Amino acid sequence: MIDPVLLFGLALAAGAPLALSPLATALGAALAAAALRRRAGPAALAAAGVALVVSGLRARALLDGAGAAYDGALALLQPPARCEVTCVVAGSPVVVGAAQRRSAGARGEDDEPPASRIDVELSGGTCGGRALPGPLRARLYGAPVDLARGDRLEVTVDLAPIHLFRNEGLRNATAAIARSGIVASGTIVEARRTSEGGAIDVRAAVDRARAFVRGRIEATFHPDAVALGRALVLGETDLAPEDQEAFRESGLAHLLAVSGTHLVLAVAGFAAALRAILVRVGPIAARWDAGRITAALCVPAAWLYADFAGGGGSAMRAAAMLSCAMGARLLGLRPVGVRCFALSLAGAAAVDPLVAWDLSFGLSAAATAGLLWLQRPLAALIVPGEGARGDGGAEGGPGASPLRELARKVLAPLATTLAAMFGCAPLLLMNGETFPLLGVAANVVAAPIGELAALPFCLAHAVLSWAPPVERGCALVGSGALLAVRAVARASADTGVVLRLPEPSPAQLAALAAAIALAWAAERRSRRLAALAAGAAAWLLLEGVATRAGAPRGVLRVNVLDVGQGDAILIDLPEGGAMLVDAGGFVGSPVDTGARVLRPLLRSRRRARLDAVVLSHPHPDHFGGLPATVEGVEVGELWDTGQGEAEGAGPVYRKLLSDLRRRGVPIVRPDALCGRPRVLSGATIEVLAPCPELHPDRGANDNSFVLRIRYGARSALLVGDAEHEAEDALVARYGAALHADLLKVGHHGSRTSTGAALLAAVDPSIAAVSCGVRNRFGHPSPEVLSRLSAGGVAIARTDRGGALIWETDGERVLWSRPGEPPRPAPAPRDGRTAAGHVPENGAP
């Protein structure tokens, strides 16, 4: 029989998937329940079903509350405002940018003091001259490093709503708000601490201990290993970008995460030292069981260490599982790994029904599940003699050969690594573009170094400041081990031997869960293999469904994406092709819209090719995300006005063109595009400006590509950042032939665009305004919004509601926003149902 507590814990943890993907999760749960009905009693299945529904409803309520809180932040902080408020530190300070500062210091450029990131609750004060209506949780940068939870501050801060990047096909960004409560972020201008956390506040004591250990790591570790040591001991991910990429590509990121293994090793070391002391204290050893005393003290120690190490989902789940084991020992019972695992899932989901959304928690749980259920079968399969244990032929006896014993020592860790990696594989595919094919080999080499050298010496270093020579010795060994692990990660990543797979759809994950349940319930090996084969077949079938949905046929679909203050438009063409117009970008920001939005979106839609990439004009908020977007994607051609090369648009633009030319991608200019409509994968694309070539007396905005995309009787007009001068020229040249059902409003809705004459000529039913919640330009202009509203045009702003999806089969038009069902577009006001193409001679 299957442990009913495990079923209950899994059902509670599935609340987040049920809230985010209700249909797929409900179907997967129903299939799993049908498969397990013979190995789980009806009462257990009923309890699990109730737990799933209750957890899903709780998760949905949290998501709805988070959406309302975010809307409140938009109303208060749009445009971004300077706030003068009081706040309480609610999250452990985390030092950020230290790796970059050390690099700059090596070049003689760093003269700024270290700063931290803090999560706070704001209350009392004003933002932009308006009173703060109630408590608001925010993430602030530039805080002093000596703060602790519970400290009260008076701060002046430039605050804005956080970016959500709400796009259909990407995961629900509101879940992060629902879990953290953080709806805004900003940079501290001035801060004054008015009071410290209470003298007996354990959280404040933990934060001060973190600050002390951080200082000792900075002072004693090798400079190149400081960021690695902070990641391993404190859970602060502040690696240089190239190291982050190397650890991710090699599958070794877990060696720097505060995982369950780390916590168990730390608490086990504490337990061994404590027990060694207690058994030597005569009165205690004579009257009490030192093991039970140790177990009792290890429970709070586990939670304290998890908090000290950053309080991530992985550490907290491991603390719960370890507490279960120690609690059983305290009660004189034998700990059962599966039951402790089940209780850790149930406890975490009871506290936070969205806990499954936490990647570190999910990876920790998946790896533990792999070790619990896959390690022994894999060991029996690949480790010599492992399958013969209990049959009188187990290895290690007098007759075991040295060669056989050596093979066992090499292959046993391999089986363990494979078990953990197989457990994590679905989550790794969901959260990364590649799966490291050399990850097993890299783990076999690096894991012993990380877990047997780096971790114990780094943990010992944290408590040895009273013995400087020993502390320095631990720092030396720990630094060396960490640098060795980094060398393995870099070497593995440099091979480029990775498997690129699409992100699993919710339906595929549901099918996988059902197949695992069938295999779990099967009593014979043949049936288990049949269940897994059926799951694989279902996965492949659903992959075909997802591929077709990502490249629909017979429709023109224009996706005006939410990339913040910038433009990015993905166009699905009627015969299955796709084109991309711009890719957003933020000047001086670590957020790469290509890596954050465009590339994951293409991956989720199974898009490996773009027939055409169009750069409307060479401004960073349009091309900044292109390099990351086109990496690993086949590009048919790049349309570029050429103004960037003529006037110099910076190194990112130059490198983009250089890389595409090296790949053999044609760069097409206006002289080859104007006056000759092109049929691209079933849609007619007309370039209306700048025609017949660039206008040398105009700026980049008024030299934007203006595209009209037609399919059947319907069309969309994309005008880049065109302003009044370019608009007047368009109206004078084309007049009413500019008519389109969808207008992508020019220049993010600035007051210098979307004039009355253009609106009258285009006469759209829907207008898309691409702008960001953090823009300080006042986009979109109230004047533009007023003109659109007066004309009866439906307005879709990406800063309010996220992306716009506009779709037509050539006659009927549907539109929607993320999370909403499609609805018919407003009917044309003048009765027009078709729009002729723009004549090649430019006459109306």
Side-chain angles (χ1 to χ4, degrees):
M1 297 295 290
I2 292 171
D3 189 335
V5 179
L6 179 60
L7 281 182
F8 188 79
L10 290 170
L12 280 179
L18 182 64
L20 295 168
S21 303
L23 183 60
T25 305
L27 181 58
L31 291 174
L36 297 174
R37 68 187 185 280
R38 293 183 179 178
R39 297 194 61 186
L45 288 176
V50 171
L52 175 63
V53 172
V54 170
S55 185
L57 292 174
R58 290 181 62 208
R60 185 70 259 169
L62 284 175
L63 291 170
D64 292 342
Y70 187 70
D71 290 342
L74 290 179
L76 177 68
L77 300 172
Q78 204 172 13
R82 174 157 290 190
C83 301
E84 297 176 347
V85 291
T86 60
C87 66
V88 175
V89 179
S92 294
V94 176
V95 172
V96 293
Q100 288 75 8
R101 284 198 308 276
R102 281 191 299 275
S103 176
R107 298 190 303 266
E109 303 170 8
D110 181 34
D111 57 359
E112 294 186 7
S116 70
R117 181 195 76 205
I118 55 173
D119 295 341
V120 301
E121 186 166 288
L122 307 176
S123 62
T126 61
C127 285
R130 293 174 289 175
L132 192 67
L136 183 147
R137 187 161 284 216
R139 177 161 290 172
L140 306 184
Y141 295 82
V145 297
D146 60 346
L147 296 176
R149 282 171 289 181
D151 288 357
R152 185 171 292 274
L153 311 173
E154 290 182 354
V155 298
T156 300
V157 57
D158 291 326
L159 206 61
I162 62 172
H163 285 297
L164 286 187
F165 301 119
R166 290 174 283 189
N167 294 283
E168 194 69 39
L170 299 183
R171 269 166 285 164
N172 190 318
T174 313
I177 297 177
R179 300 193 69 242
S180 68
I182 295 170
V183 294
S185 65
T187 302
I188 293 175
V189 177
E190 185 179 358
R192 183 173 70 88
R193 180 163 48 195
T194 57
S195 66
E196 294 187 353
I200 58 173
D201 189 334
V202 175
R203 300 176 310 156
V206 168
D207 288 343
R208 293 190 173 94
R210 282 170 55 84
F212 177 79
V213 171
R214 184 187 300 117
R216 298 311 304 158
I217 291 174
E218 294 272 0
T220 59
F221 271 50
H222 187 282
D224 290 342
V226 167
L228 303 172
R230 285 174 45 220
L232 184 68
V233 177
L234 302 174
E236 294 184 351
T237 304
D238 187 35
L239 304 183
E242 58 272 19
D243 285 340
Q244 287 184 346
E245 183 73 7
F247 276 94
R248 185 184 65 81
E249 291 282 350
S250 63
L252 296 178
H254 66 95
L255 291 180
L256 293 184
V258 181
S259 65
T261 302
H262 296 182
L263 185 137
V264 168
L265 185 58
V267 176
F270 167 77
L274 181 62
R275 192 173 187 280
I277 294 172
L278 291 177
V279 296
R280 286 167 175 76
V281 179
I284 294 178
R287 297 186 59 184
W288 291 292
D289 183 346
R292 288 192 176 187
I293 297 175
T294 301
L297 294 175
C298 278
V299 172
W303 291 102
L304 282 172
Y305 178 73
D307 189 34
F308 171 83
S314 171
M316 289 299 183
R317 193 206 62 79
M321 193 166 174
L322 187 62
S323 296
C324 170
M326 291 297 175
R329 174 70 179 86
L330 182 61
L331 297 173
L333 303 175
R334 183 175 66 86
V336 178
V338 171
R339 177 63 58 86
C340 289
F341 174 66
L343 289 173
S344 73
L345 294 180
V351 173
D352 177 8
L354 287 167
V355 72
W357 195 88
D358 184 320
L359 177 60
S360 67
F361 177 90
L363 288 173
S364 172
T368 302
L371 293 173
L372 286 172
W373 284 284
L374 297 177
Q375 196 274 336
R376 289 182 64 184
L378 286 172
L381 186 66
I382 66 175
V383 180
E386 192 70 19
R389 284 185 179 275
D391 299 332
E395 82 298 329
S401 69
L403 186 60
R404 187 185 186 93
E405 184 64 19
L406 177 62
R408 179 181 176 276
K409 289 182 178 180
V410 171
L411 293 175
L414 177 61
T416 301
T417 300
L418 283 172
M421 289 190 70
F422 284 159
C424 293
L427 288 177
L428 291 173
L429 290 176
M430 287 180 64
N431 292 277
E433 300 177 14
T434 59
F435 190 80
L437 292 178
L438 293 181
V440 174
N443 271 277
V444 168
V445 174
I449 302 173
E451 295 177 358
L452 300 180
L455 181 60
F457 279 96
C458 288
L459 292 178
H461 169 273
V463 296
L464 286 172
S465 61
W466 52 272
V470 183
E471 181 195 37
R472 287 194 297 271
C474 286
L476 179 64
V477 177
S479 295
L482 287 170
L483 293 175
V485 171
R486 186 182 70 171
V488 175
R490 287 180 172 181
S492 177
D494 287 345
T495 65
V497 183
V498 295
L499 184 64
R500 294 187 179 275
L501 295 172
E503 178 181 350
S505 67
Q508 286 175 308
L509 294 174
L512 176 65
I516 291 173
L518 278 169
W520 195 5
E523 296 180 357
R524 293 201 300 266
R525 182 179 179 184
S526 60
R527 291 188 176 181
R528 292 192 189 111
L529 293 176
L532 295 176
W539 184 286
L540 294 175
L541 177 64
L542 291 168
E543 180 62 25
V545 172
T547 300
R548 186 172 182 81
R553 293 181 177 270
V555 296
L556 172 69
R557 185 167 64 186
V558 178
N559 306 266
V560 181
L561 302 176
D562 178 7
V563 290
Q565 185 64 16
D567 269 17
I569 305 166
L570 177 64
I571 302 164
D572 297 308
L573 300 169
E575 293 178 0
M579 66 185 296
L580 177 68
V581 181
D582 298 326
F586 302 112
V587 178
S589 170
V591 178
D592 185 331
T593 53
R596 177 77 175 269
V597 178
L598 272 300
R599 205 160 64 197
L601 187 65
L602 292 174
R603 180 171 175 252
S604 73
R605 296 189 180 184
R606 279 63 177 167
R607 289 284 191 188
R609 174 183 167 83
L610 293 168
D611 295 88
V613 172
V614 181
L615 174 54
S616 65
H617 63 291
H619 279 171
D621 59 332
H622 293 252
F623 69 70
L626 277 177
T629 301
V630 300
E631 182 182 337
V633 175
E634 182 184 353
V635 176
E637 55 189 23
L638 174 72
W639 297 5
D640 177 42
T641 64
Q643 192 163 13
E645 283 193 310
E647 300 180 1
V652 176
Y653 171 84
R654 289 196 303 271
K655 187 174 186 303
L656 170 68
L657 264 61
S658 173
D659 289 347
L660 289 177
R661 284 186 173 120
R662 188 173 60 252
R663 290 166 54 180
V665 176
I667 311 296
V668 188
R669 304 296 192 195
D671 59 350
L673 296 167
C674 292
R676 40 185 99 167
R678 301 182 62 172
V679 176
L680 191 63
S681 193
T684 301
I685 317 293
E686 298 163 307
V687 176
L688 310 185
C691 290
E693 57 188 10
L694 282 174
H695 298 275
D697 57 337
R698 295 181 188 172
N701 283 352
D702 278 326
N703 267 317
S704 292
F705 270 129
V706 175
L707 307 180
R708 189 160 176 271
I709 305 172
R710 291 189 294 114
Y711 182 53
R714 300 299 179 186
S715 61
L717 185 69
L718 314 179
V719 299
D721 273 3
E723 299 181 271
H724 286 330
E725 186 177 2
E727 290 180 0
D728 292 345
L730 285 169
V731 173
R733 186 174 188 183
Y734 302 115
L738 288 172
H739 171 69
D741 303 279
L742 168 67
L743 171 66
K744 200 293 296 183
V745 170
H747 200 201
H748 319 291
S750 77
R751 60 183 179 81
T752 59
S753 67
T754 323
L758 180 76
L759 271 181
V762 178
D763 192 27
S765 57
I766 301 173
V769 184
S770 183
C771 56
V773 296
R774 302 175 74 92
N775 88 83
R776 299 179 180 274
F777 310 109
H779 297 161
S781 163
E783 302 167 23
V784 170
L785 296 178
S786 178
R787 281 197 291 271
L788 291 169
S789 297
V793 182
I795 303 171
R797 296 170 50 171
T798 58
D799 64 337
R800 303 288 179 91
L804 165 71
I805 303 96
W806 180 91
E807 181 178 303
T808 180
D809 60 3
E811 289 292 339
R812 191 175 58 140
V813 173
L814 299 175
W815 68 301
S816 63
R817 312 300 297 275
E820 299 178 359
R823 56 187 183 274
R829 293 177 304 286
D830 61 0
R832 284 182 291 189
T833 60
H837 72 278
V838 176
E840 293 186 14
N841 62 7

